[in-house]
Amino acid sequence: MEDQDVVSVLVENRIAWVNFARPAKRNAMSPTLNRRMMEVLDELEFNDDVGVLVLGGEGTAWSAGMDLKEYFRETESLGLRGVRKSQAESYGWFRRLRWFQKPTIAMVNGWCFGGGFGPLFACDLAICADEAQFGLSEINWGILPGGGVTKVVVDLLPMRDAMWLTLTGDLIDGKAASAMRLVNESVPLEQLKARTTQVAEMLLSKNPVALKFAKDAVRRVGTMTYDEAEDYLVRMQEAANFHDKSEGRKEGIRQFIDEKSYKPGLGAYDL
Ligand code: ACO
C-alpha cells in the first residue's frame, strides 16, 4: 500500500511546486494518488503563502494517465460502487484544479497520456519540454478517451487534430503540442523549470483577485451567448470589486494617472 508520498509539495517564494511522485510507475494516477491530490489542493488553495501552483512530474513522466491496474482493473473488480468511487475521486480533483483559487501552470516534463489530459486542461497555462510526449493511448488498449478527455481535446484543438490523436493514438512531442496549442509553450527540458518560474513570477506580480475572476471568466464564457457573457462579465467585475479589499483597480489607476510610476500597457502596478 502506498503512503502519501505519491505527491510531493514544495512551497518556495509563493510558488507551490506540486509533483506527481510515482516515477517508478511513470506517475500513473492511482486511487491513492487521486485522493492525495485532493488533500494537497485543499491544503494549498487558501494558503496565504501560495500565489501560483505549478503541477509537474518526477522522473521521465508527467503522467502516464490513469493507473491501468489500480484505477481500472482493481476498482472494476469491486463492482460499480468501486468504479464510481474512483471516478468521483479523479474527476473531483481535476474539477477542483480547474476552478482553483490561484493561477495554475502545468509543467510537462515527459510522458503525458490519456487521463493526464484532464489535469493538463485543468491547469490554466501549460509549458512543456520539447522532449515531452503526448498521446491519447486509449485506442491502443481498446477504449475511448473518457473521463472528460475527449471534451478536453475538442475544447483545446481543431476537430481534425482532436480526431487524429483520438483515432491513431499517435504520439506528438512538445514542439508539436505547442504548435497545436495543446500547451502555451515548449522549451528544451533543461530550461523548463526556469521558464516556468519566470511565468509564475509574472503571475505573482498581478492582482490576485483579478486573476481568479479573469481565469474563471475565460472558462465560463465559451458556452455563453454574447449577451450572456457581457452580463456575466459585468456581474463578475462587480463581485471582484467586492472581494478585492485592496481596491486594486483604483490603486492601479492612481499609480498611472497621478503618480506616473508605471504604464499599464507595459506591466502591472505595484501591489
Ligand atoms: N498504469 C499502470 N502502470 C503503469 C502505467 C499506467 N498507466 N504506465 C506505466 N506503468 C508502470 C509499468 O507497468 C511498469 O511497472 P513495473 O515496473 O512494475 O513493471 C512501470 O510503470 C514502468 O513502465 P515501463 O513501461 O517499463 O516504462 P517505459 O519508460 O519503458 O515506458 C510508457 C513508459 C510509454 C509511459 C509506458 O509505461 C506506457 O505505455 N504506459 C501506459 C500509458 C497509457 O496508455 N496510459 C493510459 C492512458 S488511457 C487513460 O488514462 C484513461
Side-chain angles (χ1 to χ4, degrees), residues 96-121:
R96 186 72 180 275
L97 188 60
R98 279 202 302 283
W99 302 104
F100 199 69
Q101 185 69 23
K102 320 284 169 65
T104 55
I105 306 171
M107 182 176 75
V108 184
N109 50 298
W111 302 112
C112 176
F113 282 107
F117 281 53
L120 178 68
F121 175 73

Side-chain angles (χ1 to χ4, degrees), residues 76-261:
E76 273 175 30
S77 73
L78 300 174
L80 191 59
R81 181 195 296 262
V83 170
R84 290 287 180 266
K85 180 169 184 290
S86 280
Q87 287 168 338
E89 287 166 350
S90 58
Y91 303 169
W93 80 261
F94 298 172
R95 186 179 311 112
R96 186 72 180 275
L97 188 60
R98 279 202 302 283
W99 302 104
F100 199 69
Q101 185 69 23
K102 320 284 169 65
T104 55
I105 306 171
M107 182 176 75
V108 184
N109 50 298
W111 302 112
C112 176
F113 282 107
F117 281 53
L120 178 68
F121 175 73
C123 289
D124 302 319
L125 301 176
I127 304 174
C128 74
D130 295 343
E131 293 86 343
Q133 296 278 341
F134 299 80
L136 296 185
S137 53
E138 285 88 340
I139 202 71
N140 291 337
W141 62 280
I143 70 163
L144 59 79
V149 171
T150 296
K151 174 68 174 157
V152 166
V153 288
V154 167
D155 276 4
L156 288 179
L157 305 177
M159 192 274 253
R160 293 292 179 209
D161 291 325
M163 194 66 91
W164 189 273
L165 293 179
T166 301
L167 298 186
T168 66
D170 273 358
L171 286 173
I172 54 171
D173 66 13
K175 284 184 179 166
S178 172
M180 213 180 257
R181 311 312 297 140
L182 189 58
V183 298
N184 293 97
E185 283 180 22
S186 180
V187 296
L189 182 59
E190 75 261 19
Q191 292 168 26
L192 183 61
K193 176 105 191 259
R195 177 59 184 148
T196 305
T197 304
Q198 206 175 38
V199 174
E201 284 171 350
M202 178 271 292
L203 293 171
L204 288 172
S205 75
K206 315 289 185 191
N207 179 312
V209 177
L211 283 172
K212 168 62 175 156
F213 278 85
K215 62 178 251 182
D216 286 2
V218 169
R219 289 191 190 269
R220 290 276 186 219
V221 299
T223 55
M224 295 181 192
T225 65
Y226 190 94
D227 281 350
E228 285 166 348
E230 194 179 67
D231 191 49
Y232 168 87
L233 293 168
V234 167
R235 306 293 156 212
M236 285 304 111
Q237 184 55 55
E238 288 167 357
N241 295 349
F242 171 77
H243 282 284
D244 184 8
K245 302 305 179 201
S246 74
E247 300 214 302
R249 69 199 183 286
K250 292 185 184 169
E251 180 60 15
I253 293 175
R254 193 189 67 76
Q255 289 181 20
F256 175 50
I257 299 293
D258 303 332
E259 207 173 84
K260 300 194 184 303
S261 56

